[in-house]
Amino acid sequence: MYKFVVKGTAFSSVDPKKVNVYENYLFCISEKGSISKMIAPGETEYESIIQEYSNINKFQELTKGQYILPGFIDLHIHAPQWAQAGTALDLPLYEWLNTYTFPLEAKFADVQFAETVYANLVSNLIKNGTTTALYFATVHRESSLRLAEICSEQGQRGLVGKVVMDDLEQNPDYYRDETTALALEDTELFIQEVQELNKQTPQGVYPVVTPRFIPSCTDDALKGLGELAEKYDVHVQSHCSESDWAHSFVQERFGKNDAFALNDFGLLTEKAVMAHCGFLSDDDMALFAEKGTAVAHCPISNAYFGNAVTPIAKLLHDYQIETGLGSDISGGFSPSLFDNIRQAVMSSRMLEDGVDKDCCSEKRGVSGSSITLNEAFYLATAGGGDSLSLPIGKLAVDYAWDVQILDSKELPIFSDDEPLMDIFQKILYLSRPENIEEVWVQGRKVHDKNKTRLEGQK
Ligand code: GUN
Ligand code: FE
């Protein structure tokens, strides 16, 4: 007995290069909200299941022009920075942190303020098709827990980190952990609280060990966080080799790159996700691959703070590093992974060897750098799921029913026999958030375009 059955046409990644089309399939969803069975037209049960589930009102058939995509997985986002999204992008990373971002994040000591911003962000992300997000909150344990609770209440799958910033010299007095010991105590308590909350959250909420980045943490904090990650077997997240400044700071402090320094503290684990990674060396990449650590690619943000393009094709194909896509709100201005998919493709093309062989001999760029739209879609879906070691991001048996239903009516489709893979490309390049009709997480509808109102906006 299934919870319900959906009939429709869906697109889902099989691997980074290949997207499968499931035309007019039946998706049979279990009571727990996962895909129990996928039935192709013509298979023996196809008609009888439609009959049976229509009779008991547990059958949904998509209308003409509607398509199913897996929900997006935002692999790197700063929840408090939603309050400054789209602004403050005129400074490089170090000055941006001190001028805009730390003063903003300090305000999240006020749980009420945090709640307003977080509730609005989570509903906005859901409306944009993001069914799972890996969040940085702030240093404050209580308001970080509110973020996890809001994900739980709104039905989004959330992985949330209380941020650790304990270095007295590198962080402002008005915004940091009071002491190293307190930073670690708060992190441990936060892990326990979120694990408790997870017990009553069908879609899952998970605590994440979150040193902001090496410059903001003492050696003792980094070591203690590595120990907590191991003790509780939880996810880890941080920033890694993001900008020239951050990268050279770590080189000066440890005489090595971020990857090896993080690894020394036990922070490069199978369940770790490192954001940006624009300046990884070949040795760093080999270490990521060996440890099973994932990269969160943030192509919009990298244009501002990295002034560089992360070599995604190399990470994916030369090193088989698990890689997903992050909005990096507010270093990236857009909460939409559609926008980030587009930027991922465009940025990679700027890294490509761009020389027209017929007219020029000068070498420019690196051949093999560009990624396809299929690959960028993979990053936003299946790649994110693999990075988090969760059964999400794909339409496959035993994967969660985390989907977005897109309406293609307003896209430039003028013929009834438009190839489905062309429709897929038009959806990815041209959809607006308004084209997302419904969003489902773990078999529950969390957004219906015709009913949803945004939370808490002034
Ligand atoms: N490095 C340390 N903190 C941050 C942050 O908030 N955003 C980005 N993009 N990089 C960081
Ligand atoms: Fe970031």
Side-chain angles (χ1 to χ4, degrees):
M1 189 68 185
Y2 306 121
K3 187 177 179 191
F4 58 86
V5 173
V6 179
K7 178 183 169 189
T9 297
F11 302 96
S12 175
S13 290
V14 179
D15 60 42
K17 289 194 184 293
K18 184 162 170 43
V19 170
N20 260 3
V21 185
Y22 300 93
E23 190 174 357
N24 287 321
Y25 265 60
L26 299 184
F27 297 91
C28 305
I29 311 306
S30 72
E31 283 301 333
K32 290 204 160 147
S34 298
I35 301 172
S36 288
K37 206 165 197 185
M38 293 169 46
I39 307 174
E43 286 186 40
T44 44
E45 301 167 282
Y46 191 83
E47 295 300 335
S48 61
I49 295 248
I50 293 178
Q51 265 301 327
E52 184 184 342
Y53 282 81
S54 304
N55 288 344
I56 53 172
N57 259 339
K58 291 183 173 179
F59 178 67
Q60 177 184 9
E61 179 165 1
L62 266 56
T63 56
K64 188 168 186 295
Q66 287 187 326
Y67 295 93
I68 301 168
L69 299 185
F72 289 143
I73 297 163
D74 190 335
L75 209 54
H76 181 65
I77 174 163
H78 297 264
Q81 296 172 23
W82 178 232
Q84 68 179 13
T87 66
L89 284 168
D90 57 331
L91 295 176
L93 179 62
Y94 179 80
E95 290 162 60
W96 173 84
L97 285 170
N98 287 289
T99 308
Y100 303 117
T101 303
F102 292 158
L104 169 64
E105 292 192 13
K107 290 190 196 165
F108 286 71
D110 176 350
V111 181
Q112 203 90 65
F113 177 63
E115 186 168 317
T116 307
V117 176
Y118 290 162
N120 181 265
L121 170 64
V122 173
S123 60
N124 232 299
L125 289 176
I126 290 173
K127 193 172 80 110
N128 275 282
T130 298
T131 47
T132 296
L134 175 56
Y135 292 105
F136 275 59
T138 60
V139 299
H140 317 100
R141 181 174 55 77
E142 207 184 328
S143 51
S144 303
L145 183 62
R146 273 309 287 143
L147 174 58
E149 287 165 350
I150 286 165
C151 292
S152 173
E153 288 157 16
Q154 292 200 22
Q156 189 188 48
R157 186 176 297 94
L159 298 98
V160 181
K162 174 227 139 4
V163 174
V164 171
M165 307 166 52
D166 71 314
D167 192 300
L168 301 185
E169 275 169 30
Q170 290 304 318
N171 304 300
D173 286 343
Y174 66 84
Y175 185 54
R176 59 169 166 78
D177 293 288
E178 268 175 55
T179 64
T180 305
L182 260 176
L184 295 174
E185 265 171 47
D186 265 357
T187 299
E188 183 156 18
L189 190 52
F190 180 74
I191 291 171
Q192 293 166 349
E193 286 171 331
V194 178
Q195 288 188 332
E196 204 47 44
L197 177 65
N198 184 47
K199 291 182 187 160
Q200 63 210 45
T201 305
Q203 77 276 15
V205 283
Y206 307 92
V208 185
V209 162
T210 307
R212 184 173 203 119
F213 63 159
I214 288 177
S216 60
C217 297
T218 61
D219 289 11
D220 285 345
L222 293 167
K223 180 165 169 287
L225 290 175
E227 287 164 3
L228 285 175
E230 188 181 9
K231 177 173 172 188
Y232 289 92
D233 188 25
V234 292
H235 291 86
V236 176
Q237 62 182 344
S238 193
H239 296 87
C240 179
S241 295
E242 175 181 5
S243 69
D244 282 321
W245 166 73
H247 183 69
S248 38
F249 182 100
V250 176
Q251 264 294 343
E252 268 173 41
R253 178 160 148 197
F254 293 114
K256 49 181 88 167
N257 283 353
D258 292 40
F260 280 85
L262 289 162
N263 188 47
D264 288 347
F265 292 111
L267 291 162
L268 226 55
T269 68
E270 222 289 299
K271 279 190 174 173
V273 177
M274 295 297 155
H276 306 289
C277 299
F279 300 94
L280 295 188
S281 67
D282 282 277
D283 285 348
D284 296 339
M285 291 184 199
L287 183 63
F288 265 68
E290 180 198 324
K291 295 288 169 186
T293 297
V295 170
H297 179 41
C298 307
I300 297 183
S301 168
N302 288 346
Y304 290 87
F305 296 150
N307 305 109
V309 181
T310 304
I312 291 304
K314 186 169 175 179
L315 299 183
L316 279 178
H317 304 305
D318 295 358
Y319 286 94
Q320 276 95 42
I321 293 171
E322 292 175 346
T323 310
L325 199 60
S327 65
D328 195 27
I329 291 281
S330 65
F333 53 80
S334 173
S336 165
L337 286 196
F338 282 102
D339 286 341
N340 279 280
I341 284 173
R342 294 161 195 162
Q343 186 66 46
V345 174
M346 292 190 289
S347 293
S348 76
R349 296 182 69 90
M350 293 172 194
L351 207 57
E352 181 68 45
D353 170 11
V355 174
D356 179 344
K357 308 271 184 313
D358 293 334
C359 70
C360 309
S361 55
E362 183 202 353
K363 178 101 177 121
R364 191 173 76 219
V366 183
S367 56
S369 297
S370 64
I371 62 167
T372 60
L373 192 60
N374 282 6
E375 287 170 301
F377 173 68
Y378 168 87
L379 297 179
T381 55
D386 287 348
S387 299
L388 295 173
S389 313
L390 293 171
I392 56 174
K394 259 186 209 175
L395 299 176
V397 169
D398 291 338
Y399 277 64
W401 184 245
D402 287 8
V403 296
Q404 41 184 329
I405 298 181
L406 269 293
D407 183 357
S408 66
K409 267 203 295 294
E410 285 168 25
L411 301 181
I413 298 168
F414 302 108
S415 123
D416 276 342
D417 53 13
E418 176 110 2
L420 285 168
M421 281 311 288
D422 284 1
I423 293 178
F424 172 71
Q425 293 174 62
K426 287 179 178 174
I427 287 174
L428 290 189
Y429 271 128
L430 300 173
S431 292
R432 319 293 329 161
E434 313 81 81
N435 303 132
I436 302 174
E437 300 247 295
E438 292 177 17
V439 178
W440 294 71
V441 180
Q442 200 74 48
R444 280 201 302 161
K445 198 196 283 186
V446 293
H447 167 67
D448 187 327
K449 191 183 120 186
N450 300 314
K451 293 188 191 145
T452 308
R453 196 172 46 80
L454 283 182
E455 300 269 345
Q457 200 142 24
K458 286 250 182 329

